[in-house]
């Protein structure tokens, strides 16, 4: 059963993190802050929702970078019960899809919990003060296929944030697979 993200908590400040990237570097929140905004995405390798939009994510992030918005993706899924989401497979996934942003492994799941991430994909769009302005979908899908080929909801919202510092008042939740939490 797909999950939906909660309504955007406007102004909520981005939580700091320090995680290993698929390039074997330690990346902190401060390393990925854009001049005009920052996009933090919780994704994974195996989710059909992520697979359906991964090309859009990469394309949007390339275009957002031109607007001064930097992006980072984080996988927090349990790699033991979901081996396709292992760190080694994250490296392959990032290379296959030519990620132009860091892809980080949240092995303890503490970062995902601090963000209250619920599903993959889960998008958190921040303004240049790291205040949350977008928590919505990338675009409308029907049977995991994009309904339209124009600019995505995510790109349009992040462009607005880059230009005005404020996200759209009306946002449609992202839908995806629940994060695969570790059995603690």
């Amino acid at each position: 059963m797909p999950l939906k993200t909660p309504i955007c908590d406007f102004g909520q400040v981005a939580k700091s993190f320090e995680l290993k990237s698929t390039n074997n570097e330690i990346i902190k929140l401060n390393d990925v802050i854009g001049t005009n905004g920052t996009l933090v995405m919780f994704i994974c390798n195996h989710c059909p929702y992520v697979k359906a939009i991964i090309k859009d994510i990469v394309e949007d992030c390339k275009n957002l970078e031109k607007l001064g918005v930097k992006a980072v993706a984080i996988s927090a899924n349990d790699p033991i019960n979901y081996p396709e989401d292992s760190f080694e497979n994250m490296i392959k996934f990032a290379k296959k899809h030519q990620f132009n942003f860091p892809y980080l492994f949240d092995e303890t799941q503490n970062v995902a919990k601090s963000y209250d991430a619920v599903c993959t994909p889960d998008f958190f769009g921040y303004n240049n003060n790291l205040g949350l302005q977008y928590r919505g979908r990338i675009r409308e899908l029907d049977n995991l296929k994009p309904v339209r080929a124009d600019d995505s909801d995510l790109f349009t919202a992040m462009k607005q944030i880059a230009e005005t510092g404020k996200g759209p008042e009306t946002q449609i939740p992202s839908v995806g697979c629940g994060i695969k939490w570790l059995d603690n």
Side-chain angles (χ1 to χ4, degrees):
M1 183 76 180
L3 291 177
K4 288 185 178 180
T5 55
I7 308 255
C8 181
D9 185 4
F10 284 95
Q12 183 181 56
V13 178
K15 308 289 190 276
S16 63
F17 54 77
E18 190 172 320
L19 298 169
K20 185 164 81 166
S21 77
T22 53
N23 293 335
N24 272 318
E25 300 171 316
I26 298 298
I27 303 288
K28 299 176 184 172
L29 174 62
N30 286 346
D31 298 328
V32 294
I33 294 174
T35 319
N36 295 324
T38 305
L39 177 61
V40 178
M41 307 172 280
F42 288 87
I43 67 169
C44 70
N45 308 331
H46 90 273
C47 172
Y49 293 91
V50 172
K51 286 179 175 178
I53 58 164
I54 196 64
K55 284 186 175 82
D56 282 332
I57 289 174
V58 172
E59 190 64 31
D60 280 359
C61 289
K62 280 180 188 166
N63 291 325
L64 286 171
E65 198 164 14
K66 296 171 192 165
L67 302 175
V69 176
K70 285 190 175 181
V72 62
I74 300 171
S75 177
N77 273 5
D78 169 4
I80 296 152
N81 290 311
Y82 298 86
E84 196 175 335
D85 290 331
S86 72
F87 185 69
E88 294 73 26
N89 285 325
M90 286 174 60
I91 294 168
K92 291 176 189 168
F93 193 75
K95 283 183 182 163
K96 176 182 177 184
H97 296 287
Q98 300 175 338
F99 282 12
N100 55 319
F101 46 83
Y103 190 20
L104 313 180
F105 185 35
D106 182 11
E107 194 170 4
T108 64
Q109 301 184 321
N110 290 338
V111 175
K113 288 175 183 169
S114 76
Y115 275 76
D116 292 324
V118 296
C119 61
T120 55
D122 199 342
F123 301 100
F124 294 79
Y126 296 92
N127 62 21
N128 61 356
N129 295 318
L130 291 181
L132 186 63
Q133 295 295 318
Y134 189 71
R135 179 111 188 249
R137 68 182 182 186
I138 190 164
R139 66 169 59 253
E140 183 180 1
L141 298 177
D142 184 20
N143 287 324
L144 298 177
K145 301 270 187 267
V147 173
R148 297 182 324 274
D150 56 351
D151 284 347
S152 73
D153 295 14
L154 176 68
F155 179 80
T156 303
M158 292 307 299
K159 182 177 184 218
Q160 179 179 325
I161 292 165
E163 292 169 352
T164 69
K166 300 231 178 276
E169 286 184 32
T170 304
Q171 301 180 12
I172 299 168
S174 184
V175 175
C177 300
I179 289 180
K180 307 308 185 223
W181 301 107
L182 295 164
D183 299 326
N184 291 342

